[in-house]
């Protein structure tokens, strides 16, 4: 239930308080977990003629020159203990590529969890290794490369030590294979695929291995379970990289796309079309990239997760398109103020290419992103096609940051344009993001603040500002935030779904980890947040109390109590036109969630919330059953049901989704998605075939089908078929 009265956050599994208090085992030390000084690894230079073949065979003579990383330590289950299995990691480079050779030994190789083979699949369901590179030593933003013994691989951007943007892709090569005493992975990452400061010989670096059948995670640099893999502030240092080449620094990606669209409501309307487009990426400097796109194609973007709105506020839908995800961290603004509450974002790239929810083609766009002279730079301009209602639009955004106080940064943002063409709209803003990872010698402290002002020809000018302080540590952690959004704050290229408010948030968490126990960790979480209008009159209050348990098999359970107060100023409608009148509402719900380990062939993710909603009854049930019998196949059916009964009427909401992936090879997949909800009565299907027949070259085929399913009938709407062939030329 996407409801203002239902507090939603990442799952924290909870159990009975008495059970936690009585759990056997030793409580771990809670602070620390960071090697001081942070470790250093050296990359050995080889000649290009010595470059190893990327074939998961480490017998190439050059590997004998590389040094082994010092032993890894456990993050879990035995925080700080030596890894139970040996992992040999070797690093070397030549003029063109950075190479990693990993031999992951396992004393019970038959137990290795060989799972997802798909590119950008759910590799966490099996054994994996993860390489993290922070070439600019930002201690905030990085590249991550994750691989499994099946050969499945994932590349992503880590943004501001919080966000993991898995939609980002680049060109790199890797091979993996299982051997008699473990598995071997060999990786080549072209320097052309990374941005870095010229002459910088020290890079941030972290290595992680997950041994899934032992529920064990080991790291090279920091072993604190408090620090997420997305947090690179305590990464070690990779040295020795010098005098490398990015060639001319020019990548030209060209593709041809053929499409056929058939409208079943008008059988004579079959519309074939075709286009040629592409992208050009030029390294102005090794750390600063200029990008040009012409006729971009987004047919490889997945279906958006379907949502049915039971609130009086619009919902947020994340970005999934490659062009806008490339170097997305360069445009990140405001720090933690927008991690969970996206209201009042000054820039949200999802607005580009959409007008009133309808797609609008992008004719061309340009972008500059990276670092220059110590400044972080992100700037883009996009020209969208005209529609029957609006002329073509030029939409622009720019972001500049400067690192200060070692780990902190100050920045500014500017946006200009309105996708609808209805107004002239500009936003200007500034922010300061403070971070100290050595508070009192062992704790992390963060503080973010921002101010922004919108200028609209239709609504006038108005402000939004806020701050957030965070103490993300164990056993105690906490957070406090404040945000104000003016009545007329209108970021046309941003996201604002609730104006004229002041938002306050307080969170407190206690987490204990146990050694030599069936119970691995116990967490207690409480949050209070409330929203007032600009005259300080209460509109919304939420109080959340949760407790979670996780065992040493990575199964987890949570229970919670959630209390809500809503002062609804004006009546609004639920789906099916069921009204919620203006008035004051107060209710309390109980919640429970269960999640079994993703390493199981058949897993379960289930949630239950009961039993009130405004002045009536409300129940929400969610369930997903991931089925992963091997690295070649994955099937995930899911269901979300919301059942509301209020005095003005009833509404039952059913959301069904089915996802499946068939992995033919690590470079060839067939992915399918199907979705249906009974409110819109609409059905959507998307099938995507992708074959990367060589690094930078791919064949992509997609077929989509939409339909209406009223009263158990199927009424076809449109069928779309597209085929795209592309190649990237590196100069």
């Amino acid at each position: 239930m996407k409801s203002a009265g239902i507090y939603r956050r990442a799952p924290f599994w909870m159990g009975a308080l008495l059970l936690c208090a009585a759990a056997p085992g030793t409580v771990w030390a809670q602070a620390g977990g960071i090697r001081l000084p942070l470790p250093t690894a050296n990359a050995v230079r080889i000649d290009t003629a010595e470059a190893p073949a990327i074939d998961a065979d480490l017998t190439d003579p050059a590997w004998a020159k590389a040094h082994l990383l010092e032993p890894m330590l456990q993050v879990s289950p035995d925080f700080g203990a030596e890894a139970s299995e040996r992992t040999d990691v070797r690093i070397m480079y030549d003029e063109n590529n950075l190479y990693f050779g990993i031999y992951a030994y396992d004393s019970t190789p038959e137990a290795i969890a060989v799972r997802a083979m798909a590119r950008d699949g759910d590799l966490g369901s099996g054994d994996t290794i993860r390489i993290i590179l922070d070439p600019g030593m930002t201690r905030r933003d990085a590249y991550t490369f994750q691989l499994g013994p099946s050969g499945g691989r994932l590349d992503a951007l880590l943004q501001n030590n919080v966000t993991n943007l898995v939609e980002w892709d680049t060109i790199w090569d890797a091979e993996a294979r299982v051997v008699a005493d473990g598995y071997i992975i060999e990786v080549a990452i072209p320097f052309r695929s990374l941005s870095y400061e010229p002459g910088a010989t020290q890079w941030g670096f972290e290595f992680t291995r997950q041994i899934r059948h032992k529920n064990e995670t080991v790291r090279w640099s920091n072993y604190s379970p408090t620090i997420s893999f997305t947090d690179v502030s305590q990464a070690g240092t990779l040295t020795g990289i010098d005098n490398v080449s990015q060639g001319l620094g020019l990548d030209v990606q060209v593709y041809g796309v053929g499409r056929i669209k058939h409208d079943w409501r008008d059988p004579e309307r079959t519309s074939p079309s075709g286009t040629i487009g592409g992208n050009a990426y030029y390294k102005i400097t090794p750390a600063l990239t200029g990008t040009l796109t012409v006729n971009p194609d987004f047919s490889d973007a997945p279906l958006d997760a379907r949502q049915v709105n039971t609130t009086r506020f619009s919902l947020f839908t994340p970005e999934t398109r490659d062009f806008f995800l490339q170097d997305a961290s360069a445009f990140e603004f405001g720090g933690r103020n927008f991690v969970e509450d996206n209201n009042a974002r000054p820039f949200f790239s999802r607005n580009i290419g959409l007008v009133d929810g309808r797609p609008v083609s992008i004719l061309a766009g340009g972008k500059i992103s990276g670092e220059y002279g110590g400044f972080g730079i992100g700037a883009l301009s996009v020209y969208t096609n005209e529609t029957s209602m609006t002329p073509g639009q030029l939409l622009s955004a720019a972001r500049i940051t400067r690192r200060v106080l070692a780990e902190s940064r100050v920045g500014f943002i500017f946006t200009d344009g309105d996708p609808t063409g209805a107004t002239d709209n500009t936003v200007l803003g500034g922010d300061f993001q403070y971070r100290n990872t050595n508070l009192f010698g062992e704790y992390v402290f963060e503080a973010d603040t921002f101010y922004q002002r919108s200028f609209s020809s239709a609504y006038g000018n108005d402000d939004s500002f806020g701050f957030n302080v965070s103490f993300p540590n164990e056993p105690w952690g906490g957070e406090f935030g404040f945000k104000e959004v003016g009545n007329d704050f209108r970021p046309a290229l941003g996201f604002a779904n609730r104006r004229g408010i002041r938002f306050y948030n307080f969170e407190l968490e206690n987490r204990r980890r146990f050694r030599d126990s069936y119970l691995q960790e116990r967490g207690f979480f409480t949050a209070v947040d409330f929203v007032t209008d600009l005259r300080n009159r209460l509109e919304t209050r939420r109080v959340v109390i949760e407790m979670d348990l996780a065992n040493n098999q990575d199964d987890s359970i949570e229970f919670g109590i959630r209390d809500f107060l809503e002062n609804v100023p004006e009546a609004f409608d639920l789906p099916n036109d069921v009204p919620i009148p203006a008035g004051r509402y107060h209710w309390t719900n109980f919640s429970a969630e269960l999640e079994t380990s993703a390493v199981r062939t058949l897993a379960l993710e289930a949630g239950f919330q009961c039993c009130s909603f405004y002045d009536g009854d409300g129940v929400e049930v969610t369930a997903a059953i991931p089925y992963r019998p091997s690295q070649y196949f994955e099937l995930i059916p899911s269901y979300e049901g919301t059942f509301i009964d209020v005095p003005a009427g009833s509404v039952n909401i059913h959301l069904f989704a089915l996802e499946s992936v068939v992995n033919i090879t690590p470079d060839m997949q067939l992915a399918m998605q199907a979705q249906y909800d009974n409110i819109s009565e609409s059905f959507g299907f998307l099938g995507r075939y992708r074959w990367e027949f060589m690094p930078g070259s791919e064949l992509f085929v997609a077929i989509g089908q939409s339909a209406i399913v009223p009263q158990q009938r199927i009424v076809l709407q449109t069928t779309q078929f597209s085929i795209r062939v592309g190649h990237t030329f590196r100069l």
Side-chain angles (χ1 to χ4, degrees):
M1 187 187 303
K2 310 296 183 185
S3 168
I6 301 295
Y7 189 92
R8 301 185 66 94
R9 58 175 276 118
F12 278 93
W13 297 111
M14 226 179 127
L17 184 56
L18 291 177
L19 175 62
C20 295
T26 305
V27 179
W28 291 14
Q30 298 295 307
I34 302 168
R35 292 180 176 177
L36 295 175
L38 296 175
T40 298
N42 181 256
V44 173
R45 186 179 184 100
I46 61 173
D47 190 84
T48 53
E50 301 176 277
I54 305 304
D55 54 7
D57 183 351
L58 302 182
T59 60
D60 297 89
W63 285 119
K65 298 182 178 181
H67 307 300
L68 289 176
L69 289 189
E70 61 187 82
M72 315 275 173
L73 295 178
Q74 292 188 35
V75 177
S76 64
D78 294 333
F79 154 49
E82 288 191 11
S84 67
E85 302 287 355
R86 174 182 165 190
T87 308
D88 288 353
V89 180
R90 293 176 170 84
I91 309 172
M92 60 188 186
Y93 73 101
D94 61 18
E95 183 181 11
N96 303 310
N97 301 298
L98 181 61
Y99 302 100
F100 292 87
I102 299 104
Y103 202 127
Y105 291 90
D106 200 305
S107 55
T108 54
E110 69 278 2
I112 295 173
V114 184
R115 291 290 187 267
M117 189 189 287
R119 175 73 181 266
D120 293 340
D122 184 11
L123 299 186
S125 61
D127 280 52
T128 61
I129 63 96
R130 188 189 302 270
I131 298 164
I132 293 176
L133 298 172
D134 176 14
M137 292 289 283
T138 66
R139 299 295 185 191
R140 284 181 175 269
D141 304 314
Y143 303 95
T144 179
F145 302 88
Q146 186 178 9
L147 300 104
S150 66
R153 54 195 174 108
L154 178 150
D155 41 13
L157 296 177
L158 304 183
Q159 176 179 303
N160 204 31
N161 288 325
V162 175
T163 307
N164 182 36
L165 296 174
V166 299
E167 294 83 3
W168 175 80
D169 289 317
T170 191
I171 296 175
W172 56 301
D173 197 10
E175 289 290 337
R177 65 187 176 102
V178 177
V179 293
D181 54 353
Y183 62 93
I184 299 173
I185 290 178
E186 203 167 10
V187 181
I189 303 173
F191 290 110
R192 297 181 182 185
S193 297
L194 306 172
S195 294
Y196 54 90
E197 286 284 358
T201 59
Q202 293 189 337
W203 293 18
F205 170 63
E206 181 65 281
F207 179 88
T208 303
R209 177 185 176 187
Q210 283 189 306
I211 308 171
R212 291 296 282 166
H213 64 89
K214 294 184 175 183
N215 192 27
E216 180 178 333
T217 301
V218 300
R219 287 193 193 133
W220 170 67
S221 179
N222 87 77
Y223 52 90
S224 170
T226 305
I227 298 179
S228 165
F229 80 89
T230 62
D231 188 334
V232 297
S233 62
Q234 300 303 316
T237 303
L238 181 63
T239 65
I241 299 177
D242 191 22
N243 193 27
V244 296
S245 172
Q246 291 188 323
L248 295 178
L250 178 64
D251 286 358
V252 179
Q253 180 187 51
V254 295
Y255 50 78
V257 185
R259 302 183 182 92
I260 298 177
K261 182 177 180 180
H262 178 71
D263 190 335
W264 293 88
R265 294 160 294 188
D266 184 357
E268 295 184 0
R269 292 189 60 186
T270 299
S271 307
S273 63
T275 186
I276 296 175
N279 305 301
Y281 305 93
Y282 178 63
K283 296 284 187 182
I284 302 170
T285 73
L288 187 65
T289 303
T291 305
L292 175 67
T293 185
V294 178
N295 293 329
D297 177 65
F298 303 125
S299 58
D300 55 349
L303 293 177
D304 292 325
R306 189 162 299 198
Q307 304 177 84
V308 175
N309 197 352
T310 59
T311 79
R312 61 187 192 273
F313 310 109
S314 57
L315 302 178
F316 183 84
T317 303
E319 178 65 85
T320 59
R321 298 168 296 177
D322 286 343
F323 174 76
F324 296 104
L325 290 169
Q326 187 77 26
D327 293 333
S329 59
F331 297 88
E332 186 275 334
F333 176 82
R336 293 191 62 85
N337 289 288
F338 301 103
V339 171
E340 292 183 2
D341 176 28
N342 291 290
N343 187 29
R345 278 185 178 270
F347 178 62
F348 178 43
S349 61
R350 180 85 183 193
N351 287 332
I352 299 176
L354 286 176
V355 174
D356 297 328
R358 296 188 301 273
V360 176
S361 59
I362 296 174
L363 299 180
K367 179 166 60 174
I368 297 176
S369 55
E371 292 192 18
Y372 183 78
F375 289 91
I377 299 173
L380 71 83
S381 285
V382 169
Y383 191 79
T384 60
N385 203 358
E386 62 181 7
T387 71
S388 58
M389 303 294 293
T390 63
Q393 299 295 312
L394 180 65
L395 309 172
S396 303
R399 169 86 163 133
I400 297 176
T401 60
R402 177 76 176 185
R403 199 182 316 169
V404 295
L405 302 176
E407 298 180 78
S408 306
R409 65 182 177 188
V410 62
F412 303 91
I413 196 166
F414 163 82
T415 72
D416 183 71
D418 181 347
T420 69
T423 68
D424 294 326
N425 187 277
T426 299
V427 174
L428 291 172
D431 67 333
F432 176 60
Q433 300 177 27
Y434 175 79
R435 183 176 178 87
N436 183 348
T437 57
N438 195 33
L439 182 68
F440 305 127
E442 58 184 355
Y443 296 107
V444 177
F445 177 75
E446 300 172 328
D448 301 323
T449 184
F450 76 93
Y451 170 82
Q452 52 186 329
R453 186 170 181 83
S454 67
F455 304 85
S456 171
S457 61
Y459 301 99
N461 310 331
D462 214 336
D463 309 297
S464 175
F465 54 89
F467 67 88
N468 182 283
V469 293
S470 177
F471 187 72
N473 299 281
E474 293 184 8
W476 292 99
E479 186 171 331
F480 174 73
F482 166 81
K483 183 188 297 183
E484 179 172 316
V485 185
N487 284 308
D488 294 316
F489 179 72
R490 305 275 177 164
L493 285 180
F495 180 83
N497 64 344
R498 192 170 186 178
R499 303 178 181 87
I501 59 99
R502 295 187 176 114
F503 172 77
Y504 304 83
N505 171 253
F506 173 78
E507 298 180 6
L508 181 66
E509 183 173 7
N510 176 267
R511 184 157 298 277
R512 296 284 179 177
R513 301 178 188 272
F514 302 91
R515 191 189 300 273
D516 304 322
S517 169
Y518 66 90
L519 183 64
Q520 181 171 309
E521 62 181 88
R522 184 273 300 153
F524 174 82
F525 172 82
T526 184
V528 178
D529 60 67
F530 55 94
V531 179
T532 72
D533 65 15
L534 298 181
R535 296 182 180 180
N536 295 318
R537 293 176 297 195
L538 183 65
E539 292 187 356
T540 298
R541 187 199 66 216
R542 306 183 186 108
V543 180
V544 178
I545 301 174
E546 295 178 341
M547 187 176 291
D548 64 89
L549 294 172
N551 66 16
N552 53 21
Q553 298 298 313
D554 200 27
D555 304 314
S556 52
I557 189 170
E558 173 191 275
F559 297 99
I561 297 175
R562 308 177 182 193
D563 184 77
F564 310 103
L565 177 70
E566 286 283 347
N567 288 316
V568 179
E570 297 180 359
F572 72 98
D573 287 339
L574 299 173
N576 293 341
D577 298 323
V578 174
I580 297 292
R584 180 185 176 92
Y585 301 88
H586 178 241
W587 71 97
T588 302
N589 275 343
F590 167 80
S591 66
E593 297 185 33
L594 170 69
E595 184 172 346
T596 64
S597 174
V599 76
R600 301 181 191 275
T601 299
L602 188 66
L604 173 65
E605 302 167 9
F608 177 75
Q609 192 166 178
C610 182
C611 290
S612 302
F613 187 68
Y614 286 90
D615 55 346
D617 300 324
V619 176
E620 179 184 3
V621 179
T622 60
I625 308 175
Y627 176 58
R628 302 181 179 97
S630 72
Q631 69 265 39
Y632 298 105
F633 181 71
E634 179 178 298
L635 182 70
I636 307 178
S638 62
Y639 168 76
E640 181 174 338
T642 304
F643 309 93
I644 299 171
D645 187 4
V646 294
S650 300
V651 57
N652 296 330
I653 302 169
H654 304 281
L655 293 174
F656 298 93
L658 181 66
E659 297 184 15
S660 179
V661 179
V662 178
N663 302 310
I664 304 167
T665 73
D667 299 313
M668 184 186 298
Q669 292 88 34
L670 176 63
M672 291 164 283
Q673 290 178 281
Q675 298 178 350
Y676 168 78
D677 75 88
N678 68 313
I679 299 302
S680 66
E681 296 184 325
S682 64
F683 169 84
F685 170 84
L686 177 64
R688 294 172 295 157
Y689 168 82
R690 180 180 181 272
W691 178 28
E692 188 176 10
F693 49 89
M694 61 181 294
S697 300
E698 70 170 13
L699 169 67
F700 182 82
V701 181
I703 183 168
Q705 178 67 59
S706 64
I708 298 293
V709 188
Q711 300 177 351
Q712 299 181 348
R713 294 184 299 114
I714 299 178
V715 180
L716 298 179
Q717 292 184 303
T718 59
T719 301
Q720 299 184 72
F721 174 85
S722 65
I723 182 169
R724 184 182 73 202
V725 179
H727 178 71
T728 299
F729 298 90
R730 306 204 102 170
L731 306 174

